[in-house]
Amino acid sequence: MIINRLRLFLFVFLAAHFGFGQQSYTQQLPGTAESLSMVFIPGGTFVMGSATSEKGHFDDEVPQHQVSIAPFWMAEFEISWDLYTLFMERTIDTYQKEGTPAQEVNLDVDAVSSATTPYLDLSFGMGTDGYPAINMTQHAASKFCEWLSAMTGNFYRLPTEAEWEYACRAGTTTAYSFGDTADNLSEYAWFEDNSNAAYHKLGQKKPNPWGLYDMHGNVAEWTLDGYDTTTYRKRKKKNNDNPYLSPTQTYPRVVRGGSWMDPPGRLRSGARRGSSKKWKQRDPQIPKSLWWHTDAPFVGFRVVRPLETPTAAEQKKYWNYN
């Protein structure tokens, strides 16, 4: 009897805290051969931020604090030009999955705004087939998530900053997901020293312990959060459940992971960066584009799908921060 109770307790504990029984999956895009590989990330608790003694540490990474994260799925790779172009061109919209009352999202894809076609090649000749999409605004990345949700019936959004760091660390407490020094960084990331001044095809380096590629380097990645240098200082509770700083202005907002242009310190799991108006410096349009940064060839994104689906009203909020 006692053994059976222990087994039941263990099952309930795993189910509640680690998403026991969930699996990674592949999301097919209707009307195309393109797909999105989604890795299941079990919920848990971790220490967010970095110690002042960590090499490359910045002041906006303290104080370290404990954070609890609910289970979710995260894209195995950064969003490619192959997928992002489908969002821009909207040629597959007619293949939208037929809605059912039980699906997570019921939204007419025609109601989703589309990114404008850029007036110049915003890949800057670095490649598009199998390469990460870049230069989009956070708004554009969120609208891609809305479009993807409408097309598939599953709810997708950008990760919160806390979710992103939790997934990047993948259970580790070191500066990088593979250790405390950058000695082996070239095995896991494209960065300033080995990128040859360009981004590279997705998934060419080793993944982190949870099977996510290019979390360090290649392109930095948008999160949902507004950027504040004092965010961590304002979290007074010892435990923070799924923390998220809702943006109140267009700039700055948080990008994570570092890029092909950055030195090793910018690729650390705890490193943060805020977006800037300067990322549109060469945009000649008046007003400047809502969709594109002309000067951010280092920024892309990946998507997540929470295990617990938010309400329809909450979904719209995640997709509509301009």
Side-chain angles (χ1 to χ4, degrees), residues 144-160:
F144 172 92
C145 294
E146 184 178 16
W147 172 81
L148 180 65
S149 301
M151 288 295 296
T152 63
N154 292 327
F155 173 69
Y156 291 98
R157 59 167 170 79
L158 294 176
T160 65

Side-chain angles (χ1 to χ4, degrees), residues 261-272:
M261 298 177 67
D262 289 319
R266 282 289 183 186
L267 276 66
R268 292 174 299 108
S269 298
R272 312 173 67 213

